[in-house]
Amino acid sequence: MAKPRDEMLSIDEVIEELAVPRSTFYRWRQCRKAPRSIKLPNGDVRIRRSELDRWLTSLEEAA
């Protein structure tokens, strides 16, 4: 059975899920405190679902 592909989330989807303003998310990116992201050739940024989940787990463990 084929493994399902890792969903690629847009910034809008991520900030909606996290319930934070766009400016906060971009500040986290500048400080390298946001989940790892992928910049596509067209300039769009995507975050893998698995990376967002890993990042949230790491925050939970650090709390």
Side-chain angles (χ1 to χ4, degrees):
M1 179 177 261
K3 185 178 177 183
R5 291 180 48 163
D6 200 3
E7 183 182 10
M8 301 287 271
L9 304 169
S10 68
I11 296 289
D12 289 336
E13 291 170 321
V14 172
I15 64 175
E16 182 178 330
E17 186 170 327
L18 297 176
V20 297
R22 180 179 291 273
S23 60
T24 298
F25 185 79
Y26 279 109
R27 188 171 56 250
W28 290 347
R29 284 191 73 207
Q30 274 188 315
C31 297
R32 299 194 179 275
K33 293 185 178 188
R36 291 185 329 180
S37 58
I38 300 166
K39 191 167 189 175
L40 301 175
N42 67 358
D44 288 349
V45 174
R46 295 288 184 267
I47 297 164
R48 293 182 196 275
R49 164 60 66 188
S50 61
E51 175 57 23
L52 179 60
D53 292 343
R54 183 207 61 77
W55 179 75
L56 288 170
T57 300
S58 73
L59 294 177
E60 190 176 276
E61 292 171 355

